[in-house]
Amino acid sequence: MKFVHRSKTVIRSRTSRVVAVLLVAAAGAWLGIFLSGTVRAQVGPVETGMSLRPAWNGETVVDASPLGTLTFRTHDAPLRLRITLENIDQDRAKALIEDPRLADRLPGIIESDLIDGVRDLIIRSLLCAGAGALIAVLMVFRRPRTALLGLLAASVALAGTGALAAVTFRPSSLIEPRYSGLIAAAPSLVGSAESIVTRFESYRSQLTKLVTNVSKLYDTVSTLPLYDADPKSIRVLHISDIHINPIAWNVIRSLKDQFAVDLIVDTGDISDHGTKAENKFVDEIGRLGVPYVYVRGNHDSMTTQRAVEKQKNAVVLDNKTQSVAGLNIYGLGDPRFTPDKSVAVASDPDALGQFARSHLAQVNKPDLIAVHDPDVGRGFTGATPMILAGHTHERKTTMLPSGTRMLVQGSTGGAGLRALEHAQPTPVQASVLYFDKETKRLRAWDDITLGGLGEQSVYIQRHVEPDPQRMISPAPTNAPSPTGPITGTPTSTAGPPLWHQGQSSPMLQRSPTEDGRES
């Protein structure tokens, strides 16, 4: 028994020692990678510095400081490749961009330069990691054989990490970058979503576009270039829930100009209490210079809606369809007016969905449907490929079972002054959507979130629609008649819903009054 007990003790001791050696070797290897420094590499006309660091998520970060950074989810291994753009060879950049013969060779040049730089970086990182593991184990255990064991373990781990990075490498990640930096630089660095999808199918071409954009941007950094938007796309700026926050107009103007949008869609709650005193706020709509499609929110009164209608660029949609900038858009205002506290409002999702379905007869296969509440939007599933909504102050996109995509926007006004009531301010959010001019289908969209520097600091996440031409399940041909708690449903499109005219509904109620107070 003593012999068995002693054997178990020895085994546990050896196991503990092996685990300790592996942990020390791993720590030394990671420290070696941290200290490996930066590899200088010329990628086309761009002088870069490349570094490799441990990270929880595998990604490649392109640092174009002071303009911003681009992040790509290129692999799954726990390594971050950081490429810092340090300088531009202006003569070489102009020659490559302007000379057709050199421009044809640019993809191959960039790919070759990038591979050479990454190879040098990997070799240096491996050597430094191995040296770090060897030295760390030797310093802790003071035995050369144990140090060699640590080196062997680190080598195997690094080889496995490298293999994982190679196996999970995703060239397509270049079409869905995350951008953080200045709004003015964002479109030029991120590039045209539509052209990336339709013209640049290969990894080499995407790299070429990125390097070319960077070269042009650095060449004219004092006067940032206008966004060279793809002429084959219709660009829609989706905003919502401004709640009379004046900063929203600065944000909207900046995004409109930098992304060269064709129209703006506002999914409601431009006001806060729906009073006449707030109507002056909407005068900025007439100064934007592009069509402004608006649907009423639950904080917007009929007085608010009429004030928006008076603006020269405004297109108010309330149970009707209109062609705007090449898109057929159906809009439906929210049936409730919640600031009126004299009326009890219970926003039952089923009732809101039923409210939407009661209007399906007026919907004739639009390219886009705009509503305020997502629960209303779900009632239109299958009637259109794309639904825009707001209300929740939290951005979310959902692919409904019918094939309809619904994009719920955050608050472009940062939820208004009420955002100050919370420990963390509500982010200012908007999205730019890219529709194909021929098919009228969504091809890609940029989710935009503004940071602490107001309209100057921006975070952008690019998304590409995986199946733009997907089949959309048809909407029900016979719209069900409202039952239960909903009354006063309109029977024609000649006028607004009856509860706008003062008839009551216990579940969905919009009072004929326009004042009230927000709790």
Side-chain angles (χ1 to χ4, degrees):
M1 294 293 296
K2 290 183 178 180
F3 176 77
V4 173
H5 178 72
R6 185 175 181 181
S7 298
K8 289 182 178 180
T9 303
V10 171
I11 292 173
R12 283 197 296 267
S13 176
R14 289 179 178 177
T15 301
S16 300
R17 185 177 181 84
V18 169
V19 171
V21 169
L22 294 177
L23 290 175
V24 172
W30 288 131
L31 182 60
I33 292 177
F34 269 116
L35 299 177
S36 61
T38 302
V39 170
R40 310 291 172 184
Q42 186 82 27
V43 179
V46 182
E47 297 175 11
T48 69
M50 298 183 181
S51 60
L52 200 63
R53 296 291 183 268
W56 291 112
N57 297 314
E59 59 188 15
T60 298
V61 179
V62 178
D63 186 352
S65 182
L67 304 174
T69 61
L70 292 169
T71 304
F72 307 93
R73 291 297 303 272
T74 51
H75 56 278
D76 293 334
L79 293 170
R80 178 184 294 116
L81 171 61
R82 190 174 193 88
I83 302 176
T84 304
L85 309 182
E86 299 184 346
N87 196 14
I88 300 289
D89 186 333
Q90 299 292 350
D91 294 334
R92 192 180 185 194
K94 290 180 179 179
L96 289 171
I97 294 170
E98 297 173 1
D99 189 333
R101 293 173 301 177
L102 293 175
D104 291 340
R105 294 168 45 208
L106 186 57
I109 293 172
I110 291 173
E111 182 183 39
S112 177
D113 291 345
L114 186 62
I115 290 174
D116 290 343
V118 172
R119 183 179 60 243
D120 292 344
L121 175 64
I122 291 174
I123 292 173
R124 174 185 285 193
S125 298
L126 288 174
L127 291 175
C128 291
L134 183 66
I135 294 172
V137 176
L138 188 61
M139 290 178 63
V140 173
F141 297 96
R142 300 183 181 279
R143 292 185 179 181
R145 291 181 61 182
T146 304
L148 291 175
L149 176 62
L151 175 60
L152 177 61
S155 300
V156 172
L158 291 169
T161 303
L164 179 61
V167 169
T168 60
F169 177 61
R170 292 181 292 270
S172 60
S173 64
L174 281 182
I175 68 174
E176 292 190 309
R178 286 178 289 150
Y179 171 83
S180 178
L182 302 177
I183 282 184
S188 296
L189 282 182
V190 173
S192 170
E194 182 73 8
S195 65
I196 286 176
V197 174
T198 59
R199 300 180 194 164
F200 296 94
E201 301 296 336
S202 72
Y203 182 53
R204 296 170 68 199
S205 297
Q206 293 161 24
L207 279 175
T208 304
K209 185 66 174 178
L210 174 59
V211 172
T212 302
N213 283 350
V214 168
S215 300
K216 289 180 179 179
L217 191 56
Y218 268 73
D219 186 37
T220 56
V221 68
S222 59
T223 56
L224 291 171
L226 293 176
Y227 183 30
D228 183 19
D230 191 327
K232 294 183 180 180
S233 66
I234 302 172
R235 295 167 302 283
V236 178
L237 176 61
H238 178 205
I239 62 174
S240 193
D241 296 86
I242 292 175
H243 288 288
I244 64 169
N245 188 346
I247 192 177
W249 296 123
N250 296 330
V251 173
I252 292 167
R253 276 192 294 268
S254 296
L255 295 176
K256 172 187 73 77
D257 294 338
Q258 294 301 329
F259 286 84
V261 302
D262 298 297
L263 72 152
I264 299 168
V265 175
D266 182 345
T267 48
D269 276 2
I270 194 172
S271 182
D272 213 11
H273 297 91
T275 62
K276 291 182 180 179
E278 295 169 277
N279 288 350
K280 188 68 176 175
F281 178 77
V282 307
D283 288 350
E284 289 294 326
I285 294 173
R287 304 184 183 106
L288 292 174
V290 295
Y292 190 97
V293 178
Y294 164 85
V295 293
R296 187 183 59 252
N298 62 294
H299 281 260
D300 302 328
S301 66
M302 293 303 294
T303 294
T304 306
Q305 178 168 306
R306 287 191 289 270
V308 174
E309 282 179 315
K310 293 178 182 178
Q311 305 304 314
K312 64 180 180 180
N313 299 326
V315 179
V316 174
L317 298 181
D318 192 9
N319 193 28
K320 68 178 182 179
T321 303
Q322 187 165 330
S323 179
V324 185
L327 290 175
N328 286 326
I329 305 175
Y330 171 83
L332 180 63
D334 198 282
R336 303 158 297 176
F337 182 53
T338 53
D340 183 6
K341 300 306 179 184
S342 66
V343 178
V345 177
S347 298
D348 182 270
D350 292 335
L352 289 169
Q354 193 179 70
F355 166 72
R357 289 189 292 274
S358 70
H359 292 79
L360 279 171
Q362 285 79 48
V363 180
N364 185 21
K365 297 181 179 179
D367 305 313
L368 175 66
I369 288 179
V371 296
H372 179 63
D373 195 307
D375 289 328
V376 176
R378 291 184 185 92
F380 288 111
T381 180
T384 179
M386 189 74 198
I387 296 173
L388 299 184
H391 184 60
T392 64
H393 300 176
E394 184 177 355
R395 180 191 288 137
K396 183 179 180 181
T397 181
T398 305
M399 181 68 75
L400 301 176
S402 63
T404 296
R405 180 180 292 281
M406 183 165 65
L407 175 60
V408 180
Q409 190 56 266
S411 173
T412 310
L417 297 179
R418 284 174 289 120
L420 300 177
E421 299 171 359
H422 308 293
Q424 295 296 328
T426 303
V428 175
Q429 296 182 322
S431 298
V432 177
L433 293 78
Y434 305 89
F435 290 84
D436 188 282
K437 273 190 176 180
E438 295 181 0
T439 65
K440 309 302 174 64
R441 289 295 188 92
L442 180 73
R443 301 302 302 266
W445 71 98
D446 292 331
D447 284 335
I448 301 164
T449 302
L450 274 78
L453 297 179
E455 71 273 14
Q456 295 302 314
S457 175
V458 65
Y459 172 84
I460 297 176
Q461 173 71 65
R462 162 79 40 90
H463 307 273
V464 174
E465 185 66 79
D467 185 14
Q469 297 304 120
R470 66 188 179 278
M471 182 69 70
I472 308 298
S473 302
T477 54
N478 297 319
S481 299
T483 58
I486 303 179
T487 61
T489 303
T491 57
S492 70
T493 60
L498 293 180
W499 46 76
H500 294 173
Q501 301 168 10
Q503 295 193 17
S504 64
S505 163
M507 296 299 292
L508 300 176
Q509 174 66 44
R510 175 172 287 277
S511 168
T513 62
E514 285 125 358
D515 56 3
R517 293 294 177 265
E518 172 68 11
S519 60

